Amino acid sequence: QMSNGSSITQFLLLEFADTRQLQLLYFWLFLGIYLAALLGNGPIITAIACDHRLHTPMYFFLLNLSLLDLGSISTTVPKAMANFLWNTRDISYQGCSAQVFFFLFYATAEFSILTIMAYDRYIAICKPLHYETILSSRACVHMAAAAWASGFLNALLHTASTFSLPLCQGNAVDQFFCELPQILKLSCSDSYLREVGLLVVIACLFFGCFVFIVVSYVQIFRAVLRIPSEQGQRYKAFSTCLPHLAVVSLFVTTGVFAHLKPPSISFSVLDLVVAVLYSVVPPAVNPFIYSIRNQELK
């Protein structure tokens, strides 16, 4: 596979461990996390799809979130597990570009869905009388479609831009999956500024969504605090909203840190922890956060 004069046909992913025992330990650890994500998201998808009582905007968006979580974790973890198990590091050029594309696709769409979910909770708690009209089934489908489309466009833009750069710093990726910033490190130093510009634009959009989510929750908390405390509504609202906010904050802070940190600052252990926090933890934890206190889903 020729890529702009650099004849890279495969990339080498980060070697987690130098001993066989540790490799197998990581394999079982990743397998456990992957199974947790499958066993958490699978039943949510099935329950919402099959039970007509759950055909409401909140659960429709939760269904989308679960689908995106499964897609996201399936993009990175199985390949890493195979590498641990077979004691290999390589990933093909096409495989690497596919990982970059799908990971960005799912991550962007997921963040868009998290933003919409915050808006859904805001309307439900702050404008309950208008809920049915604002979040009609048609509006919900349009919002979800926009989230998936934004993920697709963002992924296409970045993948095309990154893989058209000449790569002249070898082919060793300092990460357990093909992560955009790590691929950029391999490009010839003067040519990656265009892609960095794109990353800054996307980071601003992400930050805008994050501000929107925080403002929605501030409004929600203000409305909730006006509710007389003996009604038990306060606890219910806080227990729904605070975990959502925690997951969103973790996802955004670690993701932005990984993508906007200058390439000169490189701590491979920190990079690894950050990548696990934004790529592997949310898909495994989301289903439990959204269903653990939810009687209807249970």
Side-chain angles (χ1 to χ4, degrees), residues 118 121 213-222 241 244-245:
R121 293 298 78 212
I213 291 172
V214 171
V215 169
S216 298
Y217 278 117
V218 168
Q219 298 293 337
I220 287 169
F221 292 148
R222 282 175 59 191
C241 297
H244 183 178
L245 202 51

Side-chain angles (χ1 to χ4, degrees), residues 43-52 54-55 59-60 62-63 297:
I44 289 180
I45 293 168
T46 314
I48 295 172
C50 298
D51 191 335
H52 65 89
L54 298 180
H55 291 178
Y59 291 114
F60 171 68
L62 184 57
L63 171 77
L297 260 183

Side-chain angles (χ1 to χ4, degrees), residues 49-201:
C50 298
D51 191 335
H52 65 89
R53 287 170 301 176
L54 298 180
H55 291 178
T56 64
M58 181 173 104
Y59 291 114
F60 171 68
F61 296 131
L62 184 57
L63 171 77
N64 278 272
L65 184 71
S66 287
L67 288 168
L68 290 165
D69 274 338
L70 280 184
S72 163
I73 200 165
S74 298
T75 302
T76 56
V77 169
K79 177 62 184 165
M81 278 162 43
N83 282 1
F84 296 144
L85 196 56
W86 310 124
N87 190 18
T88 58
R89 293 175 58 190
D90 56 302
I91 181 170
S92 69
Y93 186 89
Q94 290 87 347
C96 190
S97 44
Q99 262 197 343
V100 168
F101 175 82
F102 283 109
F103 185 74
L104 283 172
F105 169 51
Y106 291 124
T108 309
E110 176 163 340
F111 193 57
S112 307
I113 289 286
L114 287 168
T115 308
I116 294 167
M117 287 171 84
Y119 178 67
D120 167 71
R121 293 298 78 212
Y122 164 72
I123 299 294
I125 291 171
C126 301
K127 302 188 172 179
L129 299 177
H130 302 283
Y131 187 74
E132 300 282 326
T133 47
I134 295 174
L135 287 161
S136 64
S137 53
R138 179 185 240 174
C140 290
V141 169
H142 285 167
M143 285 161 134
W148 287 79
S150 68
F152 180 78
L153 287 173
N154 184 32
L156 195 63
L157 191 69
H158 281 294
T159 311
S161 171
T162 302
F163 284 90
S164 64
L165 296 173
L167 305 175
C168 48
Q169 310 277 343
N171 68 339
V173 179
D174 260 353
Q175 197 51 274
F176 71 94
F177 66 99
C178 282
E179 189 192 37
L180 198 66
Q182 304 296 341
I183 303 285
L184 283 180
K185 276 188 195 174
L186 305 178
S187 66
C188 308
S189 51
D190 56 344
S191 60
Y192 75 88
L193 289 171
R194 178 187 56 177
E195 173 58 25
V196 168
L198 266 180
L199 277 178
V200 171
V201 171

